[in-house]
Amino acid sequence: MEQYEPDRLSLAQVAAMRRSFRNGRAALSRRSLLRASAGGALAVGGLGALSGCGIPAAGQTQGGVSAEDHSAEEKTINFSNWTEYMDVDDSGKHHPTLDAFTKRSGISVKYTEDINDNVEFFGKIKPQLAAGQDTGRDLIVVTDWLAARLIRFGWVQKLNASNLPHAYANLSAQFRSPDWDPGRAYSYPWQGISTVVAFNKKALNGIEVKSVSDLLDNPKLKGRVGFLSEMRDSMGMTLLDMGKDPEKFTDDDFDAAIARLQKAVDKGQIRRFTGNDYTSDLTKGDLAACVAWAGDIVQLKADSPDVDFIIPDSGYLTSTDNMLIPNKARHKTNAERLMDFYYEPGPAAQLAAYINYVCPVDGVKDELAKIDKSAADNPLILPDKAMAAKSHAFRSLTQKEETAYEEKFAKLTGA
């Protein structure tokens, strides 16, 4: 377990945090177009006890500090999540899947949308976790790099697999064993976030785009190309294009990718590095092609027939937002039951229909088709085997690496 030390952010890391809060992951408009219909109501039945074989026994947390579990006598959960990351009914006042969970289990959920940015949220919970105190939260959702940090510090509890039969059975293969949580001992994905290449067909006017190399090298696209201001997304896609694995790259590989992007910047090929504000430029055609987040493209395609995407032969990057149970949480078992609920096909499909990010749950296609056939057929929401095989994660970074890489990327982007 890594020893916790107070963070000392470099100027580059502070700039990266501000980029994220202003227009990056923090600014993603998660789901606002589709509304899950009342017809997609969830069947009410038993949550189900452990019924499968091969589920590993729960072990003692390494560094994680459990508290006395009050789940049996306190039928409640305190759940912190990002904004616009849960299904909402037409009134805007109720969350159908959470209501279905409460009706079935008798466990009420205090749902709070108090996560706007990973760094900011870490600042909120760090003092209590560092002091071995209860954060007041039983379940949180954070992006993979912060999940990795919390696990390294021993600040989250190891999960009891016997309470997670659906999660264990239905987790998609591509998300099963990240390097920061092998075998998902401490976390399960809430949703996946894919980074792809998007384009405006009208703006391309017949120009072919099949790879990141096309974005960087085709002179006909000069000044009409966008990359993301999030280091992992832009660098990961560039590394893949250069034949490097984002899960195994070296410092030299990173420097070579920086040099490749710098060359494109110097010759005016790249118009700018953006957060999700690229969406308006792409729709208008000011950007002919760009590195983009798939969740945005799903929404843009609904209103803009000229907008589409490709998955390069070299692959694409996928990150995850993940559910974890902090140390000293009072209702660990209740939280695990809620985690498992969202790995049943019905609830998973209803959530996916609303927010349109990558569903990490296998076996939801038929349920999703009942709610939204187009969503069920969309590989950006339910990747098929061929697409999933092209998915890559950006490897975990040490504090030293993160500082160095962010500094180099900030210099590249002018942040």
Side-chain angles (χ1 to χ4, degrees):
M1 182 185 69
E2 181 176 324
Q3 179 66 37
Y4 167 70
E5 295 180 359
D7 290 337
R8 295 177 177 84
L9 297 180
S10 68
L11 292 177
Q13 287 175 299
V14 171
M17 179 185 76
R18 288 172 176 164
R19 286 199 309 273
S20 180
F21 188 73
R22 182 174 62 249
N23 58 11
R25 289 280 295 111
L28 292 181
S29 175
R30 284 189 163 79
R31 188 59 190 135
S32 58
L33 296 180
L34 291 177
R35 291 290 184 265
S37 67
L42 304 174
V44 177
L47 278 173
L50 176 64
S51 58
C53 298
I55 298 179
Q60 185 63 36
T61 310
Q62 180 186 1
V65 180
S66 62
E68 183 179 349
D69 192 350
H70 296 272
S71 293
E73 65 271 20
E74 297 178 6
K75 297 294 186 179
T76 187
I77 301 168
N78 294 307
F79 183 6
S80 285
N81 203 348
W82 295 71
T83 58
E84 297 185 52
Y85 220 9
M86 180 67 74
D87 55 306
V88 180
D89 68 3
D90 290 336
S91 74
K93 297 178 180 179
H94 300 284
H95 302 292
T97 55
L98 288 177
D99 291 345
F101 172 79
T102 296
K103 184 176 181 180
R104 182 197 295 187
S105 66
I107 300 169
S108 64
V109 181
K110 182 181 178 182
Y111 183 72
T112 308
E113 295 180 334
D114 61 345
I115 304 178
N116 296 303
D117 174 79
N118 285 293
V119 175
E120 179 195 43
F121 184 67
F122 181 63
K124 286 183 183 179
I125 62 176
K126 179 173 61 175
Q128 293 114 314
L129 291 173
Q133 299 171 352
D134 181 11
T135 66
R137 299 167 175 88
D138 301 303
L139 191 63
I140 61 175
V141 175
V142 297
T143 306
D144 43 21
W145 66 265
L146 180 53
R149 178 183 293 184
L150 294 174
I151 292 169
R152 287 199 312 269
F153 290 160
W155 286 356
V156 293
Q157 298 187 54
K158 194 168 187 178
L159 301 173
N160 183 344
S162 66
N163 293 326
L164 296 157
H166 297 99
Y168 182 83
N170 296 337
L171 176 60
S172 297
Q174 73 180 100
F175 300 117
R176 279 197 173 269
S177 196
D179 66 352
W180 47 270
D181 187 16
R184 291 289 180 180
Y186 296 89
S187 68
Y188 270 93
W190 176 250
Q191 296 291 292
I193 306 150
S194 293
T195 306
V196 299
V197 172
F199 57 86
N200 183 308
K201 287 179 279 190
K202 186 176 181 180
L204 284 179
N205 193 26
I207 300 171
E208 190 173 62
V209 170
K210 290 187 175 181
S211 67
V212 171
S213 286
D214 290 333
L215 302 186
L216 295 174
D217 299 331
N218 190 330
K220 295 180 181 179
L221 296 177
K222 182 177 180 179
R224 298 191 294 146
V225 168
F227 274 71
L228 291 169
S229 58
E230 294 290 333
M231 181 269 288
R232 287 167 174 81
D233 295 284
S234 287
M235 294 303 297
M237 291 294 283
T238 305
L239 285 163
L240 282 169
D241 187 71
M242 298 172 68
K244 302 299 181 180
D245 187 345
E247 299 176 59
K248 300 177 182 177
F249 68 90
T250 65
D251 286 349
D252 288 343
D253 295 334
F254 188 89
D255 288 345
I258 285 283
R260 180 155 168 69
L261 287 173
Q262 186 67 60
K263 181 179 178 181
V265 169
D266 292 344
K267 67 182 181 182
Q269 185 77 4
I270 296 176
R271 182 184 182 91
R272 65 190 184 105
F273 290 83
T274 74
N276 82 318
D277 54 330
Y278 68 83
T279 55
S280 60
D281 286 348
L282 184 63
T283 303
K284 290 186 297 184
D286 291 342
L287 287 176
C290 61
V291 176
W293 287 305
D296 292 333
I297 305 308
V298 172
Q299 297 183 35
L300 291 180
K301 279 170 61 67
D303 293 330
S304 305
D306 288 328
V307 173
D308 212 335
F309 75 99
I310 59 103
I311 301 297
D313 288 341
S314 59
Y316 68 103
L317 206 69
T318 302
S319 56
T320 50
D321 284 332
N322 308 274
M323 297 179 282
L324 303 101
I325 299 174
N327 285 354
K328 295 290 187 178
R330 287 179 61 87
H331 311 107
K332 180 175 184 285
T333 298
N334 290 346
E336 289 167 339
R337 294 179 73 185
L338 182 61
M339 292 170 71
D340 194 61
F341 173 78
Y342 280 105
Y343 274 81
E344 296 180 29
Q350 192 162 347
L351 183 66
Y354 188 87
I355 62 178
N356 280 191
Y357 277 76
V358 180
C359 179
V361 184
D362 277 342
V364 304
K365 189 176 180 69
D366 290 345
E367 292 293 329
L368 185 54
K370 296 175 186 177
I371 303 169
D372 185 344
K373 181 67 163 57
S374 64
D377 293 334
N378 192 328
L380 295 180
I381 299 173
L382 296 182
D384 56 26
K385 289 184 179 180
M387 184 167 174
K390 291 185 176 183
S391 171
H392 299 266
F394 198 94
R395 71 170 173 82
S396 299
L397 301 178
T398 65
Q399 184 67 29
K400 181 179 179 180
E401 286 176 326
E402 186 161 356
T403 299
Y405 292 170
E406 286 288 5
E407 286 177 349
K408 292 173 182 179
F409 190 72
K411 183 178 180 181
L412 168 74
T413 61

